[in-house]
Amino acid sequence: MTRFSRYRIAFQAILTKEILRFSRIWIQTLLPPAITTMLYFIIFGNLIGQRIGKMDGVRYIDFIVPGLILMAVITNSYSNVVSSFFSSKYQRHVEELLISPVPSWVILSGYVAGGVARGVLVGIVVTCVSLFFSDLDIRSYGWTLAVFVLTSILFALGGFINAVYAKSFDDISIIPTFVLTPLTYLGGVFYSISLLPEVWQKISLANPVLYMVNAFRYGLLGVTDIPIGVALAIILLFIAGLTAFSLHLLNHGVGIKS
């Protein structure tokens, strides 16, 4: 068996395990985002949106569609990896992976791909729900898909790092609750930053989620508050940084080896 074949089998095994893991409990992993998104559309889109009218030249209910889709992708990509890898640590079968003749990048790729699979699947479900409330007229399929996948990769990496440092099940909920949720809600999902005072517009630029939401909104609606090249560069920069850091943690056994 060649080295490439061994790596491919290891990657497929991890990915298959991750997909089976969240698909077995689809009532907990796929159904809640659909229900939550439906409530957002009913409350913010229909009830509040009728009073707001248009934002950046598009109907308010259409304006929030990209953000709601991406919010579901972010949450599920992150939560899938953080819960799965921490469970592997807690049950101590991750040590079998570390001593196997498989490089760290294959292990990391398998877990991240599992997070991306759940994020993309949930994103598709939420997109289907949005069709009942909004007529999507996608401006760029290629750009939309690219941001869709890149954002999922980025937050899957974030979930992996959280899992590495977590020492209890309580620790895997701290970052989503106190960091991820505020960044998402303040990332331009429900509003354009042009509505904010100048000082808060500048502060908002420090929020990485803002670049992802605007890049995705550009792909769907052709509307953005951020130069599209800058948004893509920020996303790729974060992915590169988190990938390098994740591999460093795996190679040194941080939070794993005792």
Side-chain angles (χ1 to χ4, degrees):
M1 181 182 295
T2 65
R3 181 182 300 179
F4 175 78
S5 297
R6 187 167 65 247
Y7 294 170
R8 178 176 55 81
I9 292 174
F11 172 80
Q12 289 177 343
I14 297 173
L15 177 58
T16 301
K17 175 182 74 71
E18 291 299 294
I19 293 176
L20 291 175
R21 178 178 174 274
F22 71 76
S23 60
R24 286 196 189 102
I25 53 174
W26 63 271
I27 294 180
Q28 301 176 33
T29 56
L30 302 181
L31 191 58
I35 296 174
T36 302
T37 303
M38 188 178 301
L39 293 175
Y40 277 127
F41 277 120
I42 293 174
I43 297 172
F44 289 95
N46 285 340
L47 300 181
I48 299 177
Q50 290 178 0
R51 295 179 178 272
I52 295 177
K54 291 188 176 182
M55 186 167 293
D56 285 353
V58 298
R59 291 191 311 157
Y60 184 71
I61 194 170
D62 296 328
F63 181 85
I64 66 175
V65 167
L68 292 177
I69 295 173
L70 213 60
M71 188 164 63
V73 172
I74 288 171
T75 303
N76 285 273
S77 299
Y78 191 98
S79 61
N80 191 78
V81 180
V82 69
S83 60
S84 178
F85 192 77
F86 179 77
S87 295
S88 298
K89 283 177 49 182
Y90 184 78
Q91 298 167 5
R92 306 193 70 83
H93 60 74
V94 71
E95 297 172 358
E96 299 174 5
L97 279 176
L98 296 178
I99 63 175
S100 65
V102 177
S104 298
W105 65 267
V106 174
I107 298 174
L108 179 64
S109 298
Y111 277 98
V112 170
V116 171
R118 176 172 165 181
V120 169
L121 186 56
V122 169
I124 292 173
V125 171
V126 172
T127 301
C128 292
V129 171
S130 70
L131 294 177
F132 290 98
F133 301 90
S134 172
D135 297 325
L136 285 180
D137 182 17
I138 301 177
R139 299 300 177 90
S140 173
Y141 285 92
W143 185 265
T144 300
L145 180 61
V147 177
F148 199 76
V149 175
L150 289 175
T151 300
S152 187
I153 292 173
L154 195 160
F155 281 93
L157 288 166
F160 180 85
I161 295 172
N162 186 181
V164 168
Y165 281 108
K167 296 181 179 180
S168 68
F169 282 100
D170 290 334
D171 291 339
I172 67 176
S173 64
I174 292 176
I175 299 298
T177 302
F178 296 103
V179 178
L180 196 58
T181 299
L183 287 179
T184 303
Y185 279 92
L186 297 174
V189 173
F190 298 103
Y191 60 89
S192 169
I193 63 168
S194 61
L195 299 176
L196 300 175
E198 185 176 354
V199 62
W200 285 106
Q201 289 186 34
K202 293 180 179 179
I203 293 175
S204 296
L205 294 178
N207 184 354
V209 177
L210 178 70
Y211 298 90
M212 302 167 207
V213 170
N214 274 275
F216 194 60
R217 183 173 287 132
Y218 176 81
L220 284 179
L221 306 176
V223 174
T224 179
D225 293 324
I226 305 293
I228 206 64
V230 174
L232 180 61
I234 293 293
I235 296 172
L236 294 176
L237 183 63
F238 268 92
I239 290 176
L242 293 183
T243 299
F245 188 53
S246 297
L247 289 175
H248 170 78
L249 295 177
L250 261 184
N251 289 331
H252 290 79
V254 177
I256 302 171
K257 297 178 182 179
S258 57

